[in-house]
């Protein structure tokens, strides 16, 4: 249920979620998100941004998206304290790895998964710094919470400072440093350009909007064998692997169906997947041992999936 709701910035509200009976919630780690099922039936994914050591509440923050599908508008205008919501997860596609130095880069609501990472870095005594940008200072959530960290946090509202100075702030690649970045696509693209040539494992990103997709690797139908049932199905260009597999009786959970949440992750036993998700890193794509059938397809005539 919604145990608390408050405005965090222009266009941003936070929700505190708890069990109606006050019971313990599943543990989570920095970078995790949950699927929130709203009273309207809509499901949305939100990063957990509260205290991971609080076993009885979760906190998420929601940006109002005027051009969205209506979920954020309902959270802002319709959802009230005491309303009951369901959730799935937590799941973590943005896990924090142990290292001695962290550089965090946030754009807008992308600050949310980084807040518990900062808490974890502090707990471990790691060196860290945050570069945080937004359209205006008033639109940037949790700035008061971050003020206690002093000059470790660089706030750079775009209307005051322009675009984030990524190259100068990041400096050169270092063996002891990992960069974590969450924000809109232009920020992630700029980060990619600023860190071109860096080892892939030293730059980790998370999107809150699915990346725009190029054309699939092939426009012809392909076969998918569902290994658990032995059924073989044909996936035409206009349908997803997930849809066809479900119609054939496969049990496959899903949530966002945009290649963002990770719910439908499926093992690949044979064949070469055409990765079209916004989750996997380059080395994970190269491994070819899993895919997200809500959006990903096939580079080969046949795939064998663990479904």
């Amino acid at each position: 249920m919604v145990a608390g709701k408050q405005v965090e910035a222009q266009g941003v509200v936070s929700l505190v979620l708890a069990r109606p009976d006050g019971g313990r919630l599943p543990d989570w780690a920095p970078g995790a998100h949950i699927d929130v099922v709203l009273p309207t039936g809509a499901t949305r994914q939100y990063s957990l941004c509260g205290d991971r050591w609080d076993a009885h509440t979760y906190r998420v923050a929601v940006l109002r998206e005027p051009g969205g599908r209506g979920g954020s508008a309902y959270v802002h205008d319709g959802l009230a304290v005491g309303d009951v919501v369901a959730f799935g997860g937590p799941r973590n596609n943005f896990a924090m790895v142990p290292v001695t130095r962290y550089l965090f880069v946030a754009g807008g609501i992308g600050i949310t998964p980084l807040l518990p990472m900062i808490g974890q870095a502090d707990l471990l005594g790691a060196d860290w710094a945050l570069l945080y940008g937004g359209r205006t200072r008033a639109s940037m959530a949790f700035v008061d919470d971050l003020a206690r960290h002093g000059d470790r946090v660089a706030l750079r509202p775009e209307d005051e400072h322009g675009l984030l100075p990524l190259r100068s702030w990041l400096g050169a690649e270092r063996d002891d440093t990992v960069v974590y970045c969450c924000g809109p696509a232009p920020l992630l693209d700029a980060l990619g350009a600023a860190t071109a040539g860096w080892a892939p494992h030293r730059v980790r990103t998370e999107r809150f909007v699915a990346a725009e997709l190029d054309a699939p690797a092939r426009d012809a139908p392909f076969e998918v064998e569902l290994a658990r049932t032995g059924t073989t199905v044909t996936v035409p260009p206009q349908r997803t692997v997930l849809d066809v597999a479900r119609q054939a009786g496969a049990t496959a959970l899903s949530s966002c169906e945009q290649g963002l949440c990770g719910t439908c992750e499926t093992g690949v036993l044979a064949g070469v997947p055409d990765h079209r998700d916004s989750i996997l890193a380059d080395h994970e794509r190269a491994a070819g041992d899993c895919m997200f059938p809500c959006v990903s397809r096939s580079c080969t005539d046949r795939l064998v999936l663990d479904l």
Side-chain angles (χ1 to χ4, degrees):
M1 62 174 283
V2 180
K5 179 179 179 181
Q6 71 177 44
V7 175
E8 301 291 351
Q10 284 181 357
V12 179
V13 297
S14 66
L15 304 175
V16 176
L17 307 177
R19 286 178 47 163
D21 63 3
R24 186 184 181 97
L25 294 169
D27 294 338
W28 58 281
H33 70 271
I34 56 173
D35 304 317
V36 177
V37 184
L38 300 172
T40 60
T43 300
R44 297 293 184 268
Q45 290 73 45
Y46 300 120
S47 295
L48 291 170
C49 61
D51 179 3
R52 65 172 296 202
W53 305 110
D54 180 349
H56 298 91
T57 67
Y58 288 160
R59 183 178 71 169
V60 299
V62 181
L63 171 69
R64 182 190 289 275
E65 300 181 58
R69 296 173 291 160
S72 67
Y74 179 81
V75 169
H76 278 253
D77 301 331
L79 196 64
V81 173
D83 286 350
V84 176
V85 297
F87 75 88
R91 282 187 301 277
N92 201 334
N93 304 316
F94 196 40
M96 191 175 181
V97 298
V99 71
T100 57
R101 181 172 179 261
Y102 298 95
L103 294 179
F104 301 114
V105 181
I109 198 65
I111 189 62
T112 52
L114 302 184
L115 291 175
M117 291 187 179
I118 288 170
Q120 183 76 357
D122 260 350
L123 181 66
L124 297 174
D127 186 16
W128 66 269
L130 167 67
L131 180 63
Y132 180 16
R135 297 185 310 279
T136 66
R137 191 174 295 267
S139 72
M140 296 167 65
F142 305 112
V143 292
D144 290 341
D145 293 352
L146 292 165
R148 62 190 174 89
H149 296 296
D151 60 6
R152 282 189 167 189
V153 176
L155 299 179
R156 295 292 184 270
E158 186 175 352
D159 64 337
E160 298 176 25
H161 300 278
L163 298 178
L164 294 179
L166 291 173
R167 291 183 187 275
S168 60
W169 188 81
L170 292 169
E173 179 182 10
R174 287 174 41 169
D175 291 343
D176 65 348
T177 300
V178 174
V179 178
Y180 282 85
C181 177
C182 183
L187 172 61
L188 301 186
D189 292 343
L191 180 74
T195 58
W198 288 31
H201 62 277
R202 295 204 178 101
V203 181
R204 296 170 181 256
T205 61
E206 182 173 64
R207 295 178 180 268
F208 48 78
V209 176
E212 292 188 17
L213 297 176
D214 295 328
R218 53 183 295 150
D219 57 11
F222 56 92
E223 290 188 341
V224 172
E225 179 183 337
L226 309 176
R228 298 189 190 184
T229 65
T231 303
T232 297
V233 296
T234 299
V235 181
Q238 69 274 18
R239 296 183 66 189
T240 67
V241 174
L242 180 65
D243 180 38
V244 173
R246 278 178 169 165
Q247 188 177 45
T251 300
L253 298 177
S254 68
S255 179
C256 74
E257 301 197 5
Q258 299 178 67
L260 271 172
C261 72
T263 306
C264 67
E265 182 175 354
T266 301
V268 177
L269 306 179
V272 180
D274 175 16
H275 294 294
R276 298 171 60 75
D277 61 89
S278 300
I279 300 172
L280 296 176
D282 288 344
H283 68 282
E284 294 169 321
R285 292 171 183 253
D289 57 2
C290 71
M291 65 180 281
F292 299 93
C294 64
V295 292
S296 296
R297 303 186 68 78
S298 181
C299 295
T300 50
D301 292 337
R302 184 181 180 86
L303 284 177
V304 181
L305 301 183
D306 187 18
L307 286 173

